[in-house]
């Protein structure tokens, strides 16, 4: 159950960050509201996750997976470059999250 909450937090953060891209510096109402809602939900779910999971592990997963997904969205859907260096960096982020999880999630 804790991983489902953390997954929901990651999804909400990714949606909020994607909405922020479309908010045009918070000058467009609906994407701006989507950003606020996404981050509110993300932090609420992350806070619930921290009740049973260690903060280091939870934050590493949340930040690492969120970063990787947002970078992938940028490259696939938003026309950002996808160089070998960027892809290697994403692989290292994912590897870091895996290594931290090997130490245990609680």
């Amino acid at each position: 159950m804790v991983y489902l909450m953390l997954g929901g937090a990651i999804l909400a953060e990714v949606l909020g960050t994607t909405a922020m891209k479309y908010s045009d510096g918070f000058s467009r109402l609906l994407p701006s509201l989507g950003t606020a809602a996404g981050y509110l939900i993300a932090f609420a779910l992350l806070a619930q996750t921290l009740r049973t999971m260690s903060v280091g592990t939870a934050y590493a997963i949340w930040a690492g997976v969120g970063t990787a997904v947002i970078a992938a969205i940028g490259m696939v859907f938003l026309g950002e470059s996808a160089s070998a260096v960027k892809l290697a960096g994403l692989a290292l982020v994912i590897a870091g999250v895996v290594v931290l999880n090997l130490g245990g999630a609680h």
Side-chain angles (χ1 to χ4, degrees):
M1 187 65 169
V2 70
Y3 283 101
L4 288 176
M5 274 193 289
L6 184 56
I10 293 166
L11 177 62
E13 186 265 337
V14 165
L15 292 174
T17 301
T18 304
M20 190 184 306
K21 172 69 176 169
Y22 291 103
S23 75
D24 195 27
F26 296 115
S27 65
R28 297 179 57 212
L29 180 61
L30 289 180
S32 298
L33 292 174
T35 299
Y39 276 93
L40 180 66
I41 293 166
F43 281 112
L45 289 172
L46 182 60
Q48 293 304 308
T49 300
L50 295 177
R51 296 175 78 187
T52 56
M53 184 182 284
S54 70
V55 68
T57 300
Y59 194 77
I61 295 169
W62 182 65
V65 173
T67 298
V69 171
I70 285 296
I73 287 171
M75 288 184 271
V76 173
F77 297 109
L78 301 176
E80 296 177 7
S81 66
S83 68
V85 173
K86 278 188 179 181
L87 296 174
L90 286 175
L92 288 171
V93 167
I94 293 166
V97 169
V98 170
V99 169
L100 285 170
N101 269 303
L102 292 176
H106 298 284

